[in-house]
């Protein structure tokens, strides 16, 4: 199901160097993802796991950035709203999937990053922007309330007895950067959620410039111990990249 997200990479290369071979490669992935949509207009890849709120939206956003064609934003925003309506809890956070009722850190990180990327490109007058921004703000408030005094978020966000996890912290820090564009930093969210998150994650970078305390790749299971006992890795790209995202966002 995560196959199509690869298209975001060649599209970014195209945006940097305008080499058409990368454009063609990336657009193939974006259009293949929606080549046979469901009757409700969603991609056939829809499964309502929270990871999908990044995996099924970003390549469409990148295709819009490369082409200017609004159909890609319409696809991405349709998918995002469907997931928000189905998966966002009253707390503002997201279960891993409807039957797995745990607030897994990196899964929620994919949600936060996916909404941020979409909101960065979605025009102010787009009919779905208000709904997505509502979900985004609700989530960011929940993240402010659950951030540890060390600047970190936990493997299970709402459990203080869970271990500090770096990939989710990097993703949430990246997502807080969008508040500058929305002129919401005055509420203190950027200072609290962003800068402290990056400082916290920075403490988990070792002498080899490898990020530590990264949750390994994770399937879904409705079992508390499954999430609490997930192996912690060093240098895993699930964590390396988000910490770099966070640094770049705060330097913009």
């Amino acid at each position: 199901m995560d196959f199509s997200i690869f298209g975001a990479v060649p599209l970014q290369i195209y945006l940097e160097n305008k080499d058409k071979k990368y454009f063609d490669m990336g657009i193939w992935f974006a259009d293949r993802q929606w080549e046979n949509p469901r009757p409700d207009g969603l991609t056939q890849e829809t499964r309502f796991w929270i990871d999908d709120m990044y995996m099924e939206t970003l390549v469409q956003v990148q295709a819009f950035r490369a082409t200017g064609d609004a159909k890609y934003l319409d696809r991405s925003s349709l998918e995002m709203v469907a997931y928000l309506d189905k998966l966002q809890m009253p707390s503002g956070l997201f279960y891993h999937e409807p039957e797995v009722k745990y607030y897994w850190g990196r899964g929620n990180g994919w949600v936060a990053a996916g909404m941020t990327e979409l909101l960065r490109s979605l025009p102010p007058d787009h009919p779905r922007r208000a709904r997505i921004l509502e979900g985004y703000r609700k989530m960011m408030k929940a993240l402010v309330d659950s951030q540890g005094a060390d600047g970190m978020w936990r493997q299970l966000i709402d459990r203080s007895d869970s271990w500090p996890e770096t990939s989710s912290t990097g993703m949430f820090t990246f997502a807080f950067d969008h508040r500058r564009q929305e002129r919401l930093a005055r509420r203190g969210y950027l200072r609290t959620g962003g800068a402290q998150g990056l400082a916290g994650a920075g403490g988990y970078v070792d002498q080899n410039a490898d990020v530590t305390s990264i949750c390994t790749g994770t399937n879904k299971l409705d079992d508390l111990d499954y999430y609490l006992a997930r192996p912690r890795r060093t240098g895993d790209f699930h964590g390396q990249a988000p910490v770099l995202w966070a640094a770049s966002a705060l330097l913009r």
Side-chain angles (χ1 to χ4, degrees):
M1 286 293 187
D2 296 342
F3 170 78
S4 299
I5 189 61
F6 174 78
V9 176
L11 286 171
Q12 185 60 42
I13 296 172
Y14 168 75
L15 289 168
E16 299 290 339
N17 68 14
K18 304 304 181 185
D19 187 330
K20 192 174 183 299
K21 71 181 179 184
Y22 295 107
F23 173 87
D24 292 342
M25 184 186 303
I27 289 296
W28 182 87
F29 280 95
D31 288 338
R32 189 214 63 83
Q33 191 177 46
W34 245 269
E35 66 185 356
N36 184 29
R38 299 174 3 160
D40 58 6
L42 301 177
T43 172
Q44 288 288 347
E45 295 180 4
T46 301
R47 57 183 176 174
F48 291 111
W49 293 21
I50 53 174
D51 318 46
D52 300 342
M53 295 175 77
Y54 186 90
M55 307 303 172
E56 293 173 5
T57 61
L58 182 63
V59 68
Q60 301 301 318
V61 173
Q62 288 284 78
F64 166 76
R65 291 169 179 167
T67 65
D69 190 334
K71 75 178 181 183
Y72 295 110
L73 288 184
D74 291 339
R75 291 173 178 174
S76 185
S77 61
L78 178 68
E79 198 79 13
M80 187 68 75
V81 167
Y83 273 69
L84 283 168
D85 288 346
K86 190 174 183 69
L87 295 180
Q88 191 168 35
M89 298 295 108
S91 67
L93 300 175
F94 296 76
Y95 289 147
H96 196 165
E97 66 98 51
E99 303 305 317
V100 179
K101 299 177 173 59
Y102 296 102
Y103 296 129
W104 175 42
R106 187 165 64 246
N108 276 264
W110 289 124
V111 175
M115 283 196 287
T116 297
E117 289 286 6
L118 179 52
L119 286 167
R120 286 177 59 201
S121 291
L122 207 57
D125 60 350
H126 193 281
R128 297 191 187 101
R129 182 179 175 85
R131 174 67 185 96
I132 296 167
L133 186 57
E134 175 192 12
Y136 171 86
R137 287 172 168 165
K138 188 175 180 180
M139 184 183 201
M140 294 301 106
K141 174 61 168 59
L143 291 175
V144 168
D145 293 343
S146 59
Q147 187 177 26
D150 58 357
M152 298 289 289
W153 282 272
R154 269 48 188 172
Q155 162 71 350
L156 291 178
I157 299 171
D158 61 331
R159 295 185 64 98
S160 60
D161 59 340
S162 183
W163 46 280
E165 202 280 323
T166 48
S167 68
S168 59
T169 298
M171 290 178 178
F172 296 147
T173 299
F174 168 77
F176 273 103
D177 175 67
H178 185 69
R179 291 197 173 272
R180 280 189 285 189
Q181 300 176 42
E182 295 299 330
R183 299 185 181 276
L184 297 175
R186 63 182 180 274
R187 298 184 182 181
Y189 295 154
L190 177 63
R191 182 184 66 254
T192 302
Q196 288 187 10
L198 183 59
Y204 287 81
V205 179
D206 69 15
Q207 67 274 15
N208 298 314
D210 286 329
V211 179
T212 64
S213 198
I214 303 166
C215 176
T216 191
T218 296
N219 207 316
K220 65 182 181 74
L221 188 66
D222 192 23
D223 179 79
L224 174 63
D225 290 340
Y226 173 77
Y227 289 92
L228 293 178
R230 297 303 291 156
R232 308 179 211 187
R233 292 190 171 176
T234 294
D236 189 297
F237 289 161
H238 284 103
Q240 297 284 101
V243 171
L244 290 174
W245 295 355
S248 66
L250 288 169
L251 288 172
R252 285 195 193 116

